[in-house]
Amino acid sequence: MLILLLCPLFLQSQELPVRQPLNIEAEQDSTRIPVAEILPDLGIQDSVVQDSIPRDSIGKDSVPEKKNFLEDQIKYKAKDYQKTIRSENKIYLYNEAEVYYQDTELKAGVIVIDYEKKEVYAGRIRDSTGTLTQAPYFKQGSNVVEPDSIRYNFDTQRALIWNSRSEQTVGGEMNVFAEITKKENDSVYFLHEGKLTTSKNLDDPEYYIRVRKAKFVPKKKVIAGFSNMYIADVPTPIAVPFAYFPMSEKSSESGLIFPTFGEVNGRGYFLQNGGYYFAINDYVDLAVLGDYYTNGSYGFRTESNYAVRYRFRGNFNFRFENLVQGQKGFPDYSRGTTYNIQWSHSQDAKASPNSRFSASVNLGSSRYYKDSYNQINTGNFMQNTLTSSVSYSKTFPGYPAVNMSLTASHSQNTNTETISMTLPTLQASVERIYPFAPKSGIKKGIFQNINFQYSLRAENSFQTTDSLFFKKEMFEDAKTGFRHSIPISTNFKIMKYLSASLNVNYDETWQLKTIRRHDYDPELETVPTDTINGFDRFAQYSFGASLGTTLYGTVMFDEENKIQAVRHVMRPSVSYGYTPGFDQYYEEYIANEEGEVREYTRFEGGLYGAPGRSMSNSVSFSLQNNFEAKVRDKDTTATEPKKITLLNLNLNTSYNAVADSLPWQPLRFTGNIPFFDGKMTVNFGGTLDPYALDNAGRKIDKWNIDNGGSLFRFTNANVTTSYTISSKTFEGSSVDRDNDNTASGGREDDLFGSSMDYSDGRMFPDDDEEEEEEEETKYYGAALPWDLRLAYSMTYSNAARQNEISNNSLMFSGNVELTPKWRVGVSSGYDFKNRGFSFTQLRFERDLESWRMNFSWTPFGNRTSWYFFIGIKSSMLSDIKWEKRREPDRALNR
């Protein structure tokens, strides 16, 4: 983050003498001078020469020992020669020379140690082609400088550095260049004619910020005078009189967030997403952002991230916008407000094994994603649903264990603007208990397998709209209910092949509100209904039994065939269910002036429904079919054939023995067929009805075959499938999905296009990941990385002889990397029924090394818009950008 200080800032530094880089071309000398000639009291030690007299054997002298001019020993070495000239008190090191002193490390082509002046000089050498090589590498502590030449004083630790380069890793790499650098101490450098850039091309950066004079504190800050940007060595008008560049090693520091300038139809010019970032501490931060439009609209946002390692992490965002459309006094003038709240919290699984707290909240105004000028979230706009859940669960260990959870949830339809909320939902259950099972061993038989469980569910539910959300009327219409359930069941085997089960369920429902209906009042011309506040309850029970088995059939083929065997697995089952009618909860009333008598129950409108009026005595039938094949594996080293699934097909229906008419339910079938080794699955389903229709299209109690038709009427069917493929598919790799729009509740893919949140810097993340190794360039037949996602859906309806395909659509999204730097993408779809394209978005992206350029375009429809962005990737300089956009016409979305 670049923070520009608009107040005067005076930077004083000593005048730096201009010197030429030190490039010593040492004369080749075939004679090595032994370094043993170096006086031991100079404090210089060679790795080869050691003193033969142990220091411990020297006795103490009453005269204080004279302090050496160096506080530590200097260690050095070189590849070609090490030459000592005693008359000059200098040591010359040539070719891959290295010097170590305390925490200072120096490497260069040639190094000269002047122990008279306590200085060291380092420079480059020329190779056989005349090219200067082995530039100095200077490291002190954790600070690294790579200059052309350097002059360093061991005593004062000051240095003069020519053409230095220093990498500061903060928010992406920041590289600091300077023609002349004066090092004052370990933490302060003065720069003359410096360059700051995040470019990875250190020799020829594609852009840089030129600073004439600057004070540089490594890994903390750079304070500079007049600074301006150069692109390809061409100066630009982007300049400031004073500049401050924070380079803290911390993850972030507090500072200003500069706004985006622009213009939008209907609101005029704007300043958007400007504010301040607070780095509160290592665990939580806060960003406060705001917008202002010249027509009077405004908005503000607060965004916070928090994390405690090994315990929890999350983020919280609140967004509010005051929207003004048109000009006051004109017919199209409107005014309104929208808001949105997002909260995500996740707990580390190791933090507390017996309790867990989590949150995923996305609620607010139903029109937020349609009217907000701060983002284009197509996924949320087209899905029309916002959901939230905040839950706490706890387990009380022991026997029997008790599980409890407390949840607040919300579901919102942004089209109808209706909201369903439970605040809260309490669920508690006791571990399943086997009272007759042995304490050890396997449970056998009907008696030992008897088990029961207890569960409680309590809810406080609200049904409201946007306009009444969290107002008095919302709480007046609340519904509260409690349901207690005790299921008792057992299972056993019959003749070894049949699996049987028996179950009895007891449910009891508590309500805090009931109703009472009176007879028809002719004066009021209605049936008066009273709401009674108070506790009331009703109970229901049911009985069930089931019987099932598994049948196998296998067809074997010759081992030479590709298909070696086909197996068919059938799982037929029949179940019986009985639920009595609970007439005791029903009463009669006169419904109209004709004296018509009807029945009602005082529990109508309850949260868990009303007790059943009619008895149910039904038998259900189901059949699961699974077809598998064993095929010869393409891998010749495989010892076993490969097993694949050919088809899954499920059938089910039921018969109600006490129904007055139409006792058979339609035959429902569902299934799926996998393709391409399971990478694509076609899901299908349909309904077959045995009963006929009359001339008005109503179902009658007569077989369809007896009415001149077939055995069954094909009433409806549906087919869905999706498939993801890319160039990596043919290489045996998985498909990468880097377009994730779930941060604000959208889709996890880009079938609805990529959402754009202009206030979220994560839209264009830093490329701080390790670069992959560059592959050899292929000029002919080069492979273009690509990916493609498909989603198809079709629905057929014929319940009342309409015989139509009610839905038939294909959605697709794909991306192609034309070059390593150019990427294009498209998201669209086609509605075969309405014969038109669905939401379409075109995307273009250009990687400009240190910069990124993006362009997205929605060419038609009521979401027509485009967005262009070019800016620096690094988050540190993310304020250096230019963006332009045309927003969708909000009037078309109302």
Side-chain angles (χ1 to χ4, degrees):
M1 177 178 60
L2 171 62
I3 303 179
L4 304 179
L5 302 180
L6 300 181
C7 59
L9 176 65
F10 297 96
L11 178 64
Q12 297 181 353
S13 64
Q14 296 180 352
E15 189 69 19
L16 300 176
V18 179
R19 297 186 50 159
Q20 295 298 323
L22 179 63
N23 299 315
I24 301 178
E25 300 182 35
E27 184 179 351
Q28 296 288 342
D29 190 348
S30 58
T31 305
R32 285 185 179 270
I33 300 177
V35 295
E37 298 178 7
I38 302 174
L39 298 178
D41 60 348
L42 291 179
I44 303 176
Q45 174 182 327
D46 185 79
S47 58
V48 178
V49 180
Q50 298 291 337
D51 194 348
S52 60
I53 303 176
R55 285 186 172 270
D56 295 340
S57 65
I58 301 176
K60 293 185 178 180
D61 198 332
S62 59
V63 179
E65 185 179 354
K66 184 178 179 180
K67 184 178 179 181
N68 291 334
F69 66 87
L70 293 177
E71 297 181 357
D72 199 358
Q73 293 179 335
I74 299 176
K75 301 178 181 179
Y76 61 89
K77 63 179 180 179
K79 182 178 181 181
D80 280 2
Y81 70 77
Q82 305 168 95
K83 183 176 182 181
T84 302
I85 302 179
R86 301 179 65 178
S87 61
E88 299 178 1
N89 286 331
K90 292 181 180 179
I91 300 176
Y92 294 89
L93 308 175
Y94 186 81
N95 195 6
E96 298 183 10
E98 298 180 13
V99 174
Y100 300 92
Y101 175 74
Q102 294 183 340
D103 65 342
T104 302
E105 176 183 340
L106 179 61
K107 299 178 181 178
V110 60
I111 296 177
V112 178
I113 302 175
D114 187 337
Y115 49 84
E116 178 75 26
K117 297 181 180 180
K118 310 174 188 177
E119 291 182 348
V120 62
Y121 310 89
R124 301 170 292 177
I125 61 175
R126 295 185 185 275
D127 59 14
S128 58
T129 63
T131 304
L132 291 172
T133 61
Q134 298 188 34
Y137 171 88
F138 178 75
K139 180 180 180 182
Q140 186 170 22
S142 59
N143 299 325
V144 177
V145 179
E146 298 182 61
D148 287 346
S149 57
I150 186 172
R151 174 184 174 188
Y152 177 71
N153 188 291
F154 287 110
D155 190 12
T156 63
Q157 295 190 353
R158 294 184 177 184
L160 279 177
I161 307 168
W162 288 267
N163 294 330
S164 66
R165 293 182 296 185
S166 176
E167 296 183 12
Q168 303 294 309
T169 305
V170 48
E173 290 185 351
M174 169 62 77
N175 299 306
V176 181
F177 301 79
E179 288 186 6
I180 302 177
T181 303
K182 182 178 180 181
K183 177 181 176 295
E184 285 293 314
N185 49 50
D186 292 346
S187 60
V188 177
Y189 295 75
F190 292 101
L191 310 180
H192 174 71
E193 285 298 333
K195 299 177 182 179
L196 281 73
T197 181
T198 58
S199 173
K200 296 180 180 180
N201 186 355
L202 303 181
D203 296 326
D204 185 19
E206 63 269 20
Y207 90 98
Y208 56 85
I209 298 174
R210 178 187 174 191
V211 295
R212 277 68 178 175
K213 292 183 180 181
K215 180 180 179 181
F216 173 37
V217 180
K219 299 186 178 180
K220 287 189 177 181
K221 60 187 174 182
V222 172
I223 303 174
F226 179 75
S227 307
N228 67 308
M229 175 176 287
Y230 280 63
I231 298 178
D233 290 325
V234 177
T236 68
I238 303 175
V240 290
F242 302 97
Y244 175 79
F245 301 85
M247 296 182 179
S248 174
E249 287 185 299
K250 297 180 181 179
S251 58
S252 57
E253 282 192 348
S254 301
L256 292 172
I257 300 175
F258 268 73
T260 299
F261 305 84
E263 180 186 7
V264 64
N265 293 336
R267 294 194 184 183
Y269 295 95
F270 64 77
L271 292 175
Q272 200 173 69
N273 300 318
Y276 199 85
Y277 175 78
F278 300 89
I280 300 174
N281 53 42
D282 293 338
Y283 306 104
V284 62
D285 65 1
L286 174 66
V288 179
L289 306 172
D291 311 327
Y292 179 75
Y293 303 82
T294 53
N295 78 331
S297 299
Y298 63 88
F300 70 87
R301 286 168 302 288
T302 59
E303 302 178 358
S304 178
N305 295 276
Y306 58 89
V308 177
R309 185 176 294 182
Y310 307 125
R311 295 188 64 184
F312 58 81
R313 66 176 53 250
N315 60 77
F316 180 84
N317 301 331
F318 173 74
R319 305 180 177 189
F320 174 85
E321 294 185 27
N322 182 73
L323 310 176
V324 178
Q325 188 71 30
Q327 296 294 326
K328 194 171 184 179
F330 287 84
D332 62 344
Y333 177 79
S334 64
R335 193 181 190 94
T337 60
T338 64
Y339 70 94
N340 180 256
I341 299 173
Q342 296 178 13
W343 180 28
S344 175
H345 179 95
S346 60
Q347 178 180 307
D348 193 302
K350 300 178 182 178
S352 179
N354 293 325
S355 63
R356 187 169 186 83
F357 178 80
S358 63
S360 177
V361 175
N362 185 17
L363 64 86
S365 303
S366 294
R367 299 201 59 83
Y368 177 78
Y369 291 105
K370 300 177 183 178
D371 294 343
S372 174
Y373 274 82
N374 221 301
Q375 66 174 323
I376 301 178
N377 195 317
T378 309
N380 261 323
F381 174 78
M382 300 185 72
Q383 289 194 146
N384 304 322
T385 303
L386 303 181
T387 59
S388 305
S389 177
V390 180
S391 64
Y392 172 78
S393 61
K394 185 172 180 61
T395 299
F396 299 92
Y399 184 79
V402 177
N403 300 310
M404 184 191 72
S405 66
L406 198 63
T407 306
S409 61
H410 131 277
S411 178
Q412 182 174 354
N413 188 303
T414 58
N415 271 349
T416 62
E417 298 188 1
T418 58
I419 300 175
S420 300
M421 173 175 282
T422 59
L423 189 67
T425 298
L426 171 66
Q427 296 186 85
S429 62
V430 179
E431 180 185 3
R432 193 176 298 275
I433 300 173
Y434 293 82
F436 306 108
K439 294 183 179 180
S440 61
I442 301 175
K443 298 182 288 295
K444 295 181 179 180
I446 184 173
F447 189 70
Q448 292 185 359
N449 278 293
I450 293 177
N451 63 85
F452 68 91
Q453 193 178 16
Y454 168 77
S455 62
L456 165 68
R457 182 181 178 91
E459 290 184 49
N460 189 34
S461 178
F462 306 91
Q463 299 288 330
T464 186
T465 61
D466 265 19
S467 58
L468 300 178
F469 192 51
F470 273 102
K471 292 185 178 179
K472 180 182 177 181
E473 293 82 358
M474 168 182 166
F475 296 97
E476 288 177 349
D477 297 332
K479 293 182 179 180
T480 304
F482 304 81
R483 168 165 285 183
H484 307 266
S485 299
I486 303 178
I488 305 173
S489 63
T490 185
N491 59 82
F492 52 95
K493 289 282 189 179
I494 299 178
M495 296 183 296
K496 294 176 60 176
Y497 302 107
L498 299 176
S499 299
S501 66
L502 300 172
N503 64 82
V504 177
N505 293 304
Y506 175 82
D507 294 332
E508 183 168 308
T509 303
W510 296 354
Q511 291 185 194
L512 302 182
K513 285 184 180 180
T514 54
I515 65 170
R516 178 182 296 168
R517 291 186 178 177
H518 302 276
D519 293 337
Y520 178 79
D521 190 333
E523 295 182 1
L524 300 176
E525 297 182 352
T526 186
V527 176
T529 302
D530 297 332
T531 299
I532 302 173
N533 293 319
F535 174 81
D536 207 342
R537 56 171 289 277
F538 68 88
Q540 298 181 101
Y541 54 88
S542 62
F543 170 77
S546 66
L547 186 66
T549 189
T550 303
L551 304 175
Y552 301 89
T554 304
V555 179
M556 303 298 295
F557 299 94
D558 295 337
E559 293 185 359
E560 298 178 355
N561 293 338
K562 182 177 181 180
I563 300 177
Q564 298 184 4
V566 174
R567 187 174 73 163
H568 179 201
V569 181
M570 294 189 300
R571 294 182 175 88
S573 67
V574 56
S575 59
Y576 170 74
Y578 171 76
T579 304
F582 299 94
D583 298 335
Q584 65 272 28
Y585 299 116
Y586 283 80
E587 302 176 19
E588 295 181 346
Y589 71 100
I590 299 176
N592 48 45
E593 58 184 3
E594 285 80 14
E596 181 182 358
V597 178
R598 297 180 183 174
E599 290 184 336
Y600 84 100
T601 175
R602 62 184 184 273
F603 299 102
E604 285 182 8
L607 196 59
Y608 298 111
R613 176 69 178 84
S614 303
M615 179 179 66
S616 174
N617 192 10
S618 61
V619 180
S620 300
F621 305 91
S622 68
L623 177 62
Q624 299 179 11
N625 296 272
N626 177 258
F627 295 88
E628 297 176 332
K630 286 186 177 182
V631 298
R632 189 169 58 250
D633 201 315
K634 295 180 180 179
D635 185 1
T636 56
T637 62
T639 59
E640 296 290 335
K642 184 178 180 180
K643 186 172 71 173
I644 62 173
T645 300
L646 301 177
L647 170 66
N648 290 313
L649 178 63
N650 305 317
L651 307 170
N652 62 80
T653 185
S654 64
Y655 176 81
N656 190 350
V658 296
D660 296 333
S661 61
L662 308 174
W664 284 97
Q665 291 296 312
L667 177 65
R668 175 70 180 168
F669 64 90
T670 59
N672 60 76
I673 304 175
F675 293 95
F676 310 121
D677 291 333
K679 295 182 176 65
M680 173 181 169
T681 302
V682 177
N683 302 295
F684 60 88
T687 304
L688 302 173
D689 200 323
Y691 294 106
L693 300 176
D694 60 13
N695 294 331
R698 292 172 299 191
K699 190 186 297 188
I700 58 177
D701 193 8
K702 186 176 182 180
W703 301 117
N704 190 58
I705 194 172
D706 294 338
N707 200 39
S710 57
L711 180 62
F712 291 101
R713 283 188 307 108
F714 196 20
T715 58
N716 63 72
N718 62 83
V719 176
T720 61
T721 187
S722 62
Y723 185 56
T724 301
I725 188 174
S726 75
S727 55
K728 294 184 178 181
T729 303
F730 303 98
E731 301 172 3
S733 303
S734 59
V735 180
D736 295 333
R737 291 191 175 186
D738 53 0
N739 296 308
D740 190 354
N741 304 316
T742 59
S744 59
R747 292 176 62 97
E748 65 178 4
D749 52 38
D750 57 1
L751 285 175
F752 285 161
S754 296
S755 299
M756 291 174 290
D757 189 343
Y758 306 124
S759 65
D760 190 353
R762 292 172 299 179
M763 246 176 28
F764 308 107
D766 299 339
D767 287 353
D768 54 0
E769 298 179 359
E770 295 184 2
E771 294 184 350
E772 298 180 358
E773 294 185 6
E774 295 185 3
E775 297 181 359
E776 181 182 355
T777 304
K778 299 178 181 179
Y779 296 97
Y780 301 97
L784 296 179
W786 58 271
D787 62 81
L788 177 65
R789 285 176 277 276
L790 301 170
Y792 176 74
S793 174
M794 189 273 290
T795 303
Y796 170 76
S797 300
N798 192 34
R801 296 198 185 99
Q802 63 267 45
N803 192 25
E804 66 172 0
I805 295 178
S806 55
N807 171 53
N808 189 12
S809 61
L810 172 68
M811 296 179 64
F812 57 88
S813 174
N815 300 280
V816 179
E817 292 187 19
L818 300 178
T819 70
K821 304 296 183 182
W822 268 110
R823 182 178 181 182
V824 299
V826 59
S827 298
S828 186
Y830 190 78
D831 190 330
F832 296 98
K833 176 177 173 56
N834 297 317
R835 297 182 180 180
F837 284 93
S838 58
F839 177 83
T840 299
Q841 183 188 75
L842 302 176
R843 300 180 295 274
F844 305 88
E845 181 177 335
R846 170 67 172 171
D847 187 347
L848 300 171
E849 300 294 344
S850 302
W851 296 66
R852 184 191 299 272
M853 183 177 69
N854 290 74
F855 179 72
S856 63
W857 178 33
T858 302
F860 52 82
N862 60 358
R863 300 286 289 174
T864 302
S865 60
W866 57 264
Y867 177 70
F868 175 81
F869 171 91
I870 185 170
I872 296 178
K873 297 177 184 178
S874 172
S875 60
M876 179 181 178
L877 300 177
S878 60
D879 293 319
I880 301 178
K881 63 182 179 180
W882 185 75
E883 58 181 331
K884 187 71 175 177
R885 61 183 183 259
R886 181 192 182 278
E887 300 285 350
D889 190 344
R890 264 59 179 179
L892 296 176
N893 299 321
R894 295 185 180 275

